[in-house]
Amino acid sequence: MNQAIQDFINLKNIAVVGVSRNDKKFGNLAYKELKERGYQVYAVNPAMKEFQGEPCYPDLSSLQGKVDGILLTVHPDQGKAVLEQASQAGIKHVWVQQMAESPALLESGRQLGLSLVTGKCILMYAPPVRSFHKFHRTINMIFGKL
């Protein structure tokens, strides 16, 4: 496991940027799963005041001092602004969930000096790994992709 992944999963306070009113969105699943795994999670969506009975924050600056890292689950077109907010808020660790990445977004993150995890599903790494994520992780380990 690379150092950026290890550093991220060792964080305790994570903002999930991209929770939604649509229950089928990955940000919602990740929020719930990370919370069940013992992380302190914060929902971020400027169009929502509450998420699953908890406050929902409009942006990362509203969370300054509360989070160590962010899970980015928004479309890449929205992601660059989020990375800039993270940098301004002093948040260095960013997990860019699959489907939220683009070459331009990743380059922007590198230029901002952020520690990025890309091309990986957080639910395959955040302990305890369960369900089909555990199976998928095992397959990746066998083929040297972990």
Side-chain angles (χ1 to χ4, degrees):
M1 186 177 323
N2 78 35
Q3 192 62 48
I5 293 172
Q6 191 64 50
D7 290 347
F8 195 93
I9 64 171
N10 286 334
L11 301 175
K12 298 298 175 206
N13 303 300
I14 299 172
V16 179
V17 179
V19 297
S20 170
R21 288 185 181 94
N22 181 345
D23 287 337
K24 298 190 186 312
K25 294 289 187 174
F26 181 81
N28 295 16
L29 171 66
Y31 178 96
K32 178 182 177 222
E33 284 286 325
L34 292 172
K35 191 171 187 173
E36 287 176 0
R37 295 175 193 201
Y39 291 89
Q40 175 64 50
V41 290
Y42 298 89
V44 178
N45 182 322
M48 298 169 63
K49 297 267 188 227
E50 186 177 284
F51 179 75
Q52 296 185 359
E54 300 286 335
C56 188
Y57 297 85
D59 53 39
L60 293 174
S61 63
S62 302
L63 287 167
Q64 197 149 0
K66 292 184 180 183
V67 298
D68 309 308
I70 64 169
L71 171 60
L72 184 66
T73 67
V74 297
H75 191 276
D77 293 344
Q78 299 169 316
K80 185 176 179 191
V82 175
L83 295 182
E84 290 168 357
Q85 286 178 25
S87 179
Q88 291 169 359
I91 302 167
K92 295 292 182 195
H93 300 280
V94 180
W95 192 296
V96 182
Q97 185 63 33
Q98 296 157 311
M99 305 303 290
E101 56 195 6
S102 72
L105 177 83
L106 301 181
E107 181 58 30
S108 178
R110 285 192 273 286
Q111 288 179 2
L112 290 166
L114 302 174
S115 173
L116 301 174
V117 177
T118 65
K120 310 279 185 197
C121 177
I122 192 168
L123 299 180
M124 283 181 49
Y125 295 89
V129 179
R130 304 185 283 229
S131 167
F132 68 89
H133 289 102
K134 188 171 188 171
F135 174 75
H136 194 210
R137 180 183 165 105
T138 301
I139 296 299
N140 280 350
M141 286 172 61
I142 291 169
F143 290 102
K145 294 181 179 182
L146 196 58

